[in-house]
Amino acid sequence: MIVDLPDLAASEAFAQRIAAALRSGDVVALSGGLGAGKTTLARGVIASLGHEGEVPSPSFAIIEVYDPPAVRIPLVHADFYRLEDPAEVEEIGLDDYRHGAALLAEWPEHAGGFAHEAGCLSIMLESTEKGRRAIVTAGPDWLERGAWI
């Protein structure tokens, strides 16, 4: 499905809908070129989960962790852009971080991808003449949640 995101308000509303449906164990895989809006959407999801204040980009740290009560559910925000080999996710201990948490993954293809997981919501962000658009592919667990978009 395609979701048009003509402005920041539309992106924030989309992030709120994702956050409302997000569960522990889920992955929101955010793909797209540099400047496509991955971090903006991730920040919107984190804010919609209850986090107040600044949300740093995990570009250099690779992983940022958010725990209740600051957010509704435990959350890992990862930016895999700097990974040179998908095997590096083991070196950084991604599985340990993910235990009992949802994952917001920017540049998921650098980590080997997550689309094979039933709880993966894949979002490809593209720039358009009228802002941005999200091409959304929902895994079976997301499809069972009904019309959340």
Side-chain angles (χ1 to χ4, degrees):
M1 89 186 63
I2 295 176
V3 179
D4 289 317
L5 304 170
D7 54 29
L8 185 58
S11 292
E12 288 174 353
F14 184 46
Q16 289 170 356
R17 293 190 303 273
I18 293 168
L22 192 64
R23 299 176 184 164
S24 293
D26 284 345
V27 177
V28 178
L30 302 170
S31 299
L34 290 170
K38 296 178 295 296
T39 301
T40 299
L41 188 59
R43 286 178 172 149
V45 170
I46 294 166
S48 296
L49 288 172
H51 181 76
E52 295 178 6
E54 186 178 337
V55 175
S57 171
S59 294
F60 294 103
I62 300 177
I63 290 179
E64 293 286 340
V65 177
Y66 299 87
D67 292 309
V71 288
R72 179 177 61 80
I73 59 172
L75 181 74
V76 176
H77 180 199
D79 183 333
F80 298 118
Y81 180 74
R82 294 187 316 118
L83 297 188
E84 295 180 15
D85 185 310
E88 292 179 67
V89 296
E90 290 181 35
E91 294 174 23
I92 61 175
L94 181 63
D95 287 344
D96 293 334
Y97 285 106
R98 287 188 62 187
H99 184 74
L103 171 65
L104 284 175
E106 296 186 45
W107 300 95
E109 59 278 6
H110 289 218
F114 301 93
H116 62 282
E117 296 185 23
C120 184
L121 183 69
S122 296
I123 302 172
M124 170 63 76
L125 293 162
E126 299 178 338
S127 295
T128 68
E129 292 176 7
K130 297 179 182 177
R132 293 188 172 101
R133 92 171 129 225
I135 301 166
V136 182
T137 306
D141 288 358
W142 283 86
L143 293 173
E144 292 175 1
R145 297 174 201 181
W148 57 271
I149 287 189

